[in-house]
Amino acid sequence: MLGRAFLVVSVAFLLLLGYAFYQDLSRPWVPIQQKYAAQYGQDFPIQVQQLFPKVQVNGQFMVERCITCHVPDIQKIGPQQAAKRLGPNHPSVISDTVFAKYGQDTLICRPATAAASPSASPSASPSASPSASPSTKASASAAPSSSGAPATAASPGPAASPSASASPAPVATSCLDPKAKPYYVLDANGKVVNDPATNKPVVAQLTGFIPNAYKGLGIDESGCIICHNGNRQATDQAGAHQNLVANPFGVFATAPQLYENNCAQCHGATGEGGKGPPLNDQNRLGFFNNDYYYRCIYLGNTGEEHKGTIMPAWGVNKLLPQPINDNINLLVHWIRMWQQYTTRP
Protein backbone atom coordinates (compact mmCIF):
# COMPACT_ATOMS: atom_id res chain seq x y z
CA MET A 1 0.00 0.00 0.00
CA LEU A 2 2.80 2.38 0.94
CA GLY A 3 4.75 1.47 -2.20
CA ARG A 4 1.71 2.21 -4.37
CA ALA A 5 1.24 5.63 -2.76
CA PHE A 6 4.94 6.39 -3.31
CA LEU A 7 4.59 5.40 -6.99
CA VAL A 8 1.58 7.72 -7.44
CA VAL A 9 3.40 10.64 -5.81
CA SER A 10 6.49 10.00 -7.95
CA VAL A 11 4.45 9.96 -11.18
CA ALA A 12 2.65 13.16 -10.15
CA PHE A 13 6.00 14.84 -9.42
CA LEU A 14 7.40 13.80 -12.82
CA LEU A 15 4.29 15.10 -14.58
CA LEU A 16 4.60 18.41 -12.73
CA LEU A 17 8.27 18.62 -13.65
CA GLY A 18 7.47 17.92 -17.29
CA TYR A 19 4.81 20.62 -17.30
CA ALA A 20 7.31 23.09 -15.83
CA PHE A 21 9.80 22.29 -18.61
CA TYR A 22 7.05 22.69 -21.21
CA GLN A 23 6.08 26.09 -19.82
CA ASP A 24 9.71 27.17 -19.88
CA LEU A 25 10.15 26.14 -23.51
CA SER A 26 6.78 27.49 -24.68
CA ARG A 27 7.56 31.17 -23.96
CA PRO A 28 4.48 32.93 -25.46
CA TRP A 29 5.98 36.30 -24.49
CA VAL A 30 8.82 36.04 -27.04
CA PRO A 31 6.84 37.38 -30.06
CA ILE A 32 5.58 40.29 -27.94
CA GLN A 33 9.13 41.24 -27.01
CA GLN A 34 10.19 40.87 -30.63
CA LYS A 35 7.42 43.27 -31.68
CA TYR A 36 8.61 45.73 -29.04
CA ALA A 37 12.19 45.35 -30.30
CA ALA A 38 11.10 46.06 -33.86
CA GLN A 39 9.51 49.33 -32.73
CA TYR A 40 12.14 50.60 -30.29
CA GLY A 41 15.28 48.67 -31.16
CA GLN A 42 16.55 45.48 -29.59
CA ASP A 43 18.99 46.71 -26.97
CA PHE A 44 17.82 44.13 -24.43
CA PRO A 45 18.02 40.32 -24.21
CA ILE A 46 14.88 38.42 -25.24
CA GLN A 47 14.05 36.86 -21.90
CA VAL A 48 11.78 37.21 -18.90
CA GLN A 49 12.29 40.61 -17.29
CA GLN A 50 10.83 40.59 -13.78
CA LEU A 51 10.81 43.53 -11.43
CA PHE A 52 11.18 43.19 -7.69
CA PRO A 53 9.60 46.38 -6.29
CA LYS A 54 11.19 47.81 -3.17
CA VAL A 55 7.90 47.56 -1.29
CA GLN A 56 7.54 44.37 0.69
CA VAL A 57 4.23 42.64 1.41
CA ASN A 58 4.19 40.45 4.52
CA GLY A 59 7.98 40.70 4.60
CA GLN A 60 8.40 39.46 1.02
CA PHE A 61 9.13 41.33 -2.20
CA MET A 62 6.31 41.17 -4.76
CA VAL A 63 7.26 40.23 -8.33
CA GLU A 64 5.99 42.44 -11.17
CA ARG A 65 5.58 40.36 -14.34
CA CYS A 66 3.77 42.77 -16.68
CA ILE A 67 7.00 44.50 -17.60
CA THR A 68 8.27 41.33 -19.33
CA CYS A 69 6.09 42.09 -22.35
CA HIS A 70 5.27 45.76 -22.15
CA VAL A 71 8.63 47.45 -21.42
CA PRO A 72 11.31 44.75 -21.28
CA ASP A 73 14.15 47.30 -21.28
CA ILE A 74 12.71 49.42 -18.46
CA GLN A 75 15.81 49.08 -16.32
CA LYS A 76 17.84 50.67 -19.12
CA ILE A 77 15.50 53.46 -20.22
CA GLY A 78 14.14 54.36 -16.78
CA PRO A 79 10.63 55.03 -15.42
CA GLN A 80 9.87 58.26 -17.31
CA GLN A 81 10.61 56.87 -20.77
CA ALA A 82 8.85 53.63 -19.86
CA ALA A 83 5.70 55.53 -18.88
CA LYS A 84 5.72 57.33 -22.26
CA ARG A 85 5.96 54.02 -24.10
CA LEU A 86 3.09 52.59 -22.08
CA GLY A 87 0.86 55.51 -23.11
CA PRO A 88 -0.50 58.83 -21.82
CA ASN A 89 -2.39 57.27 -18.92
CA HIS A 90 0.68 56.14 -17.00
CA PRO A 91 2.46 58.43 -14.54
CA SER A 92 6.18 57.76 -14.41
CA VAL A 93 6.29 58.34 -10.66
CA ILE A 94 3.49 58.10 -8.09
CA SER A 95 4.06 61.64 -6.86
CA ASP A 96 2.06 63.46 -4.20
CA THR A 97 -0.20 64.95 -6.85
CA VAL A 98 -0.94 61.59 -8.48
CA PHE A 99 -1.47 59.93 -5.11
CA ALA A 100 -3.78 62.76 -4.00
CA LYS A 101 -5.98 61.99 -7.01
CA TYR A 102 -5.82 58.19 -7.05
CA GLY A 103 -4.56 57.05 -3.66
CA GLN A 104 -6.44 55.14 -0.99
CA ASP A 105 -6.89 58.20 1.21
CA THR A 106 -8.74 60.37 -1.31
CA LEU A 107 -12.35 61.10 -2.16
CA ILE A 108 -13.96 61.62 -5.55
CA CYS A 109 -16.06 64.77 -5.56
CA ARG A 110 -18.53 66.76 -7.66
CA PRO A 111 -20.64 69.90 -7.15
CA ALA A 112 -23.42 69.08 -4.68
CA THR A 113 -27.06 70.00 -5.27
CA ALA A 114 -28.26 69.48 -1.72
CA ALA A 115 -29.59 72.41 0.25
CA ALA A 116 -27.63 71.38 3.34
CA SER A 117 -23.97 70.59 3.69
CA PRO A 118 -21.97 69.10 6.55
CA SER A 119 -19.50 71.62 7.88
CA ALA A 120 -15.87 70.74 7.39
CA SER A 121 -12.46 72.27 6.96
CA PRO A 122 -10.68 69.80 4.68
CA SER A 123 -7.21 70.27 3.40
CA ALA A 124 -6.85 70.95 -0.28
CA SER A 125 -4.80 68.50 -2.28
CA PRO A 126 -2.00 69.53 -4.63
CA SER A 127 -2.78 70.51 -8.19
CA ALA A 128 -3.52 67.79 -10.71
CA SER A 129 -0.59 65.82 -12.01
CA PRO A 130 0.44 66.61 -15.58
CA SER A 131 1.19 62.93 -16.11
CA ALA A 132 -2.39 61.86 -15.44
CA SER A 133 -4.69 60.98 -18.29
CA PRO A 134 -6.67 63.71 -20.06
CA SER A 135 -9.75 61.64 -19.33
CA THR A 136 -9.49 62.68 -15.72
CA LYS A 137 -10.34 66.30 -16.49
CA ALA A 138 -13.96 65.65 -15.60
CA SER A 139 -13.04 64.71 -12.09
CA ALA A 140 -10.48 65.70 -9.49
CA SER A 141 -10.07 64.97 -5.82
CA ALA A 142 -8.81 66.29 -2.54
CA ALA A 143 -7.06 64.55 0.31
CA PRO A 144 -9.08 64.31 3.51
CA SER A 145 -8.03 66.21 6.59
CA SER A 146 -6.52 64.45 9.57
CA SER A 147 -9.73 64.99 11.50
CA GLY A 148 -11.61 62.73 9.09
CA ALA A 149 -13.73 65.53 7.64
CA PRO A 150 -14.77 64.80 4.05
CA ALA A 151 -12.73 66.23 1.21
CA THR A 152 -14.52 68.47 -1.22
CA ALA A 153 -14.70 68.89 -4.93
CA ALA A 154 -16.25 70.17 -8.13
CA SER A 155 -15.12 70.77 -11.69
CA PRO A 156 -11.45 71.47 -12.47
CA GLY A 157 -10.09 74.91 -11.73
CA PRO A 158 -7.51 76.72 -9.62
CA ALA A 159 -6.81 75.57 -6.10
CA ALA A 160 -7.95 77.61 -3.15
CA SER A 161 -6.49 78.16 0.30
CA PRO A 162 -6.77 75.02 2.44
CA SER A 163 -7.68 77.09 5.47
CA ALA A 164 -11.04 78.15 4.06
CA SER A 165 -14.10 76.52 5.63
CA ALA A 166 -16.95 74.79 3.79
CA SER A 167 -19.69 77.01 2.41
CA PRO A 168 -23.36 75.99 2.59
CA ALA A 169 -24.10 77.37 -0.87
CA PRO A 170 -23.41 75.00 -3.81
CA VAL A 171 -20.63 76.48 -5.94
CA ALA A 172 -19.39 75.01 -9.20
CA THR A 173 -15.72 75.65 -8.46
CA SER A 174 -12.54 73.62 -8.39
CA CYS A 175 -12.35 70.23 -6.71
CA LEU A 176 -9.38 71.70 -4.87
CA ASP A 177 -11.54 74.55 -3.55
CA PRO A 178 -12.59 73.83 0.07
CA LYS A 179 -15.68 76.00 -0.46
CA ALA A 180 -17.12 73.41 -2.82
CA LYS A 181 -19.45 70.68 -1.53
CA PRO A 182 -18.68 66.97 -1.17
CA TYR A 183 -19.87 64.10 -3.32
CA TYR A 184 -23.20 63.08 -1.73
CA VAL A 185 -24.80 59.65 -1.91
CA LEU A 186 -27.94 59.77 -4.06
CA ASP A 187 -30.97 57.48 -4.02
CA ALA A 188 -32.60 55.87 -7.05
CA ASN A 189 -34.52 59.11 -7.74
CA GLY A 190 -31.39 61.25 -7.70
CA LYS A 191 -32.09 62.80 -4.29
CA VAL A 192 -29.45 63.23 -1.62
CA VAL A 193 -29.57 60.54 1.08
CA ASN A 194 -29.65 61.91 4.66
CA ASP A 195 -28.22 60.11 7.66
CA PRO A 196 -31.28 59.44 9.90
CA ALA A 197 -29.15 59.95 13.04
CA THR A 198 -27.88 63.42 12.11
CA ASN A 199 -30.30 64.42 9.34
CA LYS A 200 -27.26 65.54 7.31
CA PRO A 201 -26.35 64.37 3.81
CA VAL A 202 -24.35 61.15 3.62
CA VAL A 203 -20.95 61.83 2.07
CA ALA A 204 -19.61 59.12 -0.23
CA GLN A 205 -16.02 58.44 0.77
CA LEU A 206 -14.91 56.68 -2.37
CA THR A 207 -11.44 55.19 -2.21
CA GLY A 208 -8.86 55.01 -4.94
CA PHE A 209 -6.71 52.11 -6.06
CA ILE A 210 -3.05 53.03 -5.44
CA PRO A 211 -1.86 51.51 -2.14
CA ASN A 212 -0.19 53.98 0.18
CA ALA A 213 3.02 51.94 0.28
CA TYR A 214 3.73 52.78 -3.38
CA LYS A 215 3.57 56.54 -2.95
CA GLY A 216 6.69 58.20 -4.36
CA LEU A 217 7.90 55.16 -6.32
CA GLY A 218 8.55 55.07 -10.04
CA ILE A 219 6.90 52.67 -12.44
CA ASP A 220 10.17 50.73 -12.49
CA GLU A 221 9.70 50.04 -8.77
CA SER A 222 5.93 49.68 -8.56
CA GLY A 223 5.10 48.01 -11.87
CA CYS A 224 1.82 48.13 -13.78
CA ILE A 225 -0.40 45.90 -11.68
CA ILE A 226 -1.06 48.41 -8.88
CA CYS A 227 -3.17 50.49 -11.26
CA HIS A 228 -4.43 47.94 -13.75
CA ASN A 229 -5.11 45.16 -11.23
CA GLY A 230 -5.56 42.04 -13.36
CA ASN A 231 -4.52 38.72 -11.87
CA ARG A 232 -1.34 39.51 -9.97
CA GLN A 233 -0.60 35.82 -9.30
CA ALA A 234 -0.80 34.76 -12.96
CA THR A 235 2.22 33.39 -14.77
CA ASP A 236 0.76 33.27 -18.29
CA GLN A 237 -0.60 35.95 -20.60
CA ALA A 238 -4.26 34.93 -20.46
CA GLY A 239 -4.25 34.84 -16.68
CA ALA A 240 -2.41 38.14 -16.33
CA HIS A 241 -4.98 39.90 -18.52
CA GLN A 242 -7.95 38.53 -16.60
CA ASN A 243 -9.90 41.24 -14.74
CA LEU A 244 -7.64 43.93 -16.23
CA VAL A 245 -8.79 47.54 -15.81
CA ALA A 246 -7.76 48.85 -19.21
CA ASN A 247 -7.91 52.56 -18.42
CA PRO A 248 -8.02 53.08 -14.63
CA PHE A 249 -7.72 56.86 -14.88
CA GLY A 250 -10.70 57.10 -17.22
CA VAL A 251 -12.75 54.78 -15.03
CA PHE A 252 -11.89 56.78 -11.92
CA ALA A 253 -13.05 59.97 -13.65
CA THR A 254 -16.36 58.61 -14.95
CA ALA A 255 -17.58 55.69 -12.84
CA PRO A 256 -18.08 57.24 -9.35
CA GLN A 257 -21.17 59.26 -10.19
CA LEU A 258 -22.61 56.35 -12.17
CA TYR A 259 -22.11 54.12 -9.14
CA GLU A 260 -23.56 56.61 -6.69
CA ASN A 261 -26.61 57.34 -8.79
CA ASN A 262 -27.51 53.69 -9.29
CA CYS A 263 -25.73 51.38 -6.85
CA ALA A 264 -24.74 53.13 -3.62
CA GLN A 265 -28.22 53.13 -2.09
CA CYS A 266 -28.09 49.31 -1.81
CA HIS A 267 -24.41 48.40 -1.87
CA GLY A 268 -23.05 51.31 0.18
CA ALA A 269 -21.07 54.39 -0.78
CA THR A 270 -17.79 52.49 -0.57
CA GLY A 271 -19.14 49.04 -1.44
CA GLU A 272 -19.55 48.08 2.20
CA GLY A 273 -23.02 46.66 1.62
CA GLY A 274 -26.48 47.46 2.96
CA LYS A 275 -29.67 46.12 1.44
CA GLY A 276 -27.37 44.50 -1.10
CA PRO A 277 -24.25 42.43 -0.42
CA PRO A 278 -20.85 44.11 0.02
CA LEU A 279 -18.90 44.66 -3.18
CA ASN A 280 -15.53 45.48 -1.60
CA ASP A 281 -15.22 42.03 -0.04
CA GLN A 282 -11.73 40.74 -0.92
CA ASN A 283 -12.76 37.08 -1.02
CA ARG A 284 -15.58 37.88 -3.45
CA LEU A 285 -13.35 40.06 -5.61
CA GLY A 286 -10.59 37.48 -5.62
CA PHE A 287 -12.95 34.64 -6.56
CA PHE A 288 -15.25 36.12 -9.23
CA ASN A 289 -14.14 37.43 -12.62
CA ASN A 290 -15.42 40.38 -14.65
CA ASP A 291 -17.90 38.26 -16.64
CA TYR A 292 -19.66 37.31 -13.42
CA TYR A 293 -20.06 40.93 -12.33
CA TYR A 294 -21.25 41.92 -15.81
CA ARG A 295 -23.97 39.26 -15.69
CA CYS A 296 -24.96 40.34 -12.18
CA ILE A 297 -25.54 43.92 -13.32
CA TYR A 298 -27.02 43.21 -16.76
CA LEU A 299 -29.38 40.35 -15.81
CA GLY A 300 -30.01 41.21 -12.15
CA ASN A 301 -32.84 39.12 -10.67
CA THR A 302 -33.75 37.80 -14.12
CA GLY A 303 -30.55 35.72 -14.14
CA GLU A 304 -29.91 32.42 -12.40
CA GLU A 305 -27.38 33.85 -9.93
CA HIS A 306 -29.74 36.42 -8.40
CA LYS A 307 -33.25 35.03 -8.90
CA GLY A 308 -35.61 36.15 -6.17
CA THR A 309 -33.38 39.01 -4.98
CA ILE A 310 -34.05 42.77 -5.13
CA MET A 311 -31.24 43.29 -7.65
CA PRO A 312 -32.72 45.16 -10.65
CA ALA A 313 -32.00 43.92 -14.16
CA TRP A 314 -30.09 47.08 -15.11
CA GLY A 315 -29.29 45.95 -18.64
CA VAL A 316 -32.36 43.91 -19.55
CA ASN A 317 -34.75 46.66 -18.42
CA LYS A 318 -32.53 49.49 -19.75
CA LEU A 319 -32.31 51.17 -16.34
CA LEU A 320 -28.81 52.58 -16.88
CA PRO A 321 -27.94 55.53 -19.15
CA GLN A 322 -26.88 54.76 -22.70
CA PRO A 323 -24.64 53.19 -23.86
CA ILE A 324 -25.68 50.51 -21.37
CA ASN A 325 -22.94 47.98 -22.16
CA ASP A 326 -20.19 50.58 -21.78
CA ASN A 327 -21.63 51.82 -18.49
CA ILE A 328 -21.91 48.29 -17.11
CA ASN A 329 -18.24 47.74 -17.96
CA LEU A 330 -17.42 51.01 -16.19
CA LEU A 331 -19.21 49.78 -13.07
CA VAL A 332 -17.44 46.40 -13.25
CA HIS A 333 -14.05 48.12 -13.47
CA TRP A 334 -15.00 50.48 -10.62
CA ILE A 335 -15.91 47.52 -8.39
CA ARG A 336 -12.68 45.80 -9.41
CA MET A 337 -10.70 48.78 -8.12
CA TRP A 338 -11.69 47.83 -4.58
CA GLN A 339 -9.59 44.70 -4.96
CA GLN A 340 -6.48 45.30 -2.88
CA TYR A 341 -3.05 44.58 -4.29
CA THR A 342 -1.68 43.50 -0.94
CA THR A 343 -4.58 41.18 -0.07
CA ARG A 344 -4.94 37.64 -1.30
CA PRO A 345 -8.34 35.91 -1.45
Side-chain angles (χ1 to χ4, degrees):
M1 183 69 180
L2 191 62
R4 187 178 301 174
F6 178 78
L7 181 63
V8 170
V9 171
S10 300
V11 170
F13 176 76
L14 290 175
L15 289 174
L16 183 63
L17 192 63
Y19 177 73
F21 276 114
Y22 168 76
Q23 287 290 90
D24 184 57
L25 295 174
S26 176
R27 303 188 178 185
W29 42 266
V30 170
I32 303 174
Q33 285 197 357
Q34 290 172 338
K35 183 179 178 181
Y36 180 93
Q39 183 174 358
Y40 296 109
Q42 185 175 330
D43 55 354
F44 59 91
I46 300 292
Q47 62 184 31
V48 173
Q49 305 282 332
Q50 293 187 345
L51 293 182
F52 293 85
K54 290 182 179 179
V55 176
Q56 296 185 51
V57 178
N58 297 327
Q60 297 181 339
F61 289 101
M62 300 295 290
V63 177
E64 162 59 38
R65 295 186 178 91
C66 302
I67 222 68
T68 289
C69 294
H70 293 286
V71 193
D73 56 347
I74 188 171
Q75 294 185 355
K76 179 175 287 188
I77 65 176
Q80 295 185 359
Q81 188 64 28
K84 291 179 182 178
R85 292 184 180 183
L86 284 169
N89 297 325
H90 296 78
S92 57
V93 175
I94 305 175
S95 64
D96 286 345
T97 52
V98 173
F99 187 79
K101 289 174 69 64
Y102 305 110
Q104 284 184 331
D105 301 328
T106 64
L107 309 180
I108 277 294
C109 307
R110 64 167 169 78
T113 56
S117 170
S119 59
S121 300
S123 300
S125 71
S127 58
S129 167
S131 60
S133 164
S135 62
T136 61
K137 65 184 179 181
S139 174
S141 66
S145 67
S146 58
S147 62
T152 58
S155 59
S161 168
S163 61
S165 60
S167 167
V171 181
T173 53
S174 167
C175 180
L176 307 178
D177 183 358
K179 293 182 180 180
K181 286 190 175 181
Y183 215 148
Y184 293 121
V185 176
L186 306 178
D187 62 17
N189 299 317
K191 294 182 179 179
V192 174
V193 176
N194 286 333
D195 184 339
T198 63
N199 202 31
K200 290 183 178 180
V202 178
V203 179
Q205 301 191 15
L206 302 177
T207 58
F209 56 88
I210 297 180
N212 186 64
Y214 290 86
K215 181 178 178 181
L217 296 182
I219 195 171
D220 56 334
E221 296 173 320
S222 60
C224 311
I225 211 71
I226 59 165
C227 291
H228 293 274
N229 211 315
N231 183 354
R232 61 186 178 272
Q233 305 299 328
T235 56
D236 59 19
Q237 183 178 345
H241 289 170
Q242 186 179 15
N243 302 330
L244 199 66
V245 179
N247 184 355
F249 298 97
V251 172
F252 203 89
T254 310
Q257 187 166 353
L258 187 66
Y259 176 85
E260 288 195 7
N261 290 349
N262 301 283
C263 314
Q265 61 268 22
C266 289
H267 293 286
T270 57
E272 71 275 12
K275 289 184 288 185
L279 300 178
N280 61 5
D281 178 83
Q282 296 307 307
N283 290 327
R284 179 184 291 268
L285 287 169
F287 184 78
F288 293 119
N289 61 18
N290 287 358
D291 289 339
Y292 169 82
Y293 282 108
Y294 186 95
R295 293 196 309 273
C296 289
I297 299 172
Y298 190 91
L299 298 175
N301 53 22
T302 67
E304 289 299 323
E305 287 122 333
H306 291 84
K307 267 197 186 304
T309 69
I310 61 172
M311 178 69 172
W314 296 96
V316 172
N317 296 329
K318 296 181 171 56
L319 301 176
L320 288 173
Q322 294 287 351
I324 290 178
N325 288 340
D326 290 349
N327 283 325
I328 291 178
N329 281 322
L330 272 175
L331 289 172
V332 171
H333 287 164
W334 178 251
I335 293 167
R336 184 63 61 193
M337 284 184 179
W338 278 315
Q339 188 167 350
Q340 296 173 12
Y341 177 65
T342 56
T343 302
R344 296 183 180 182

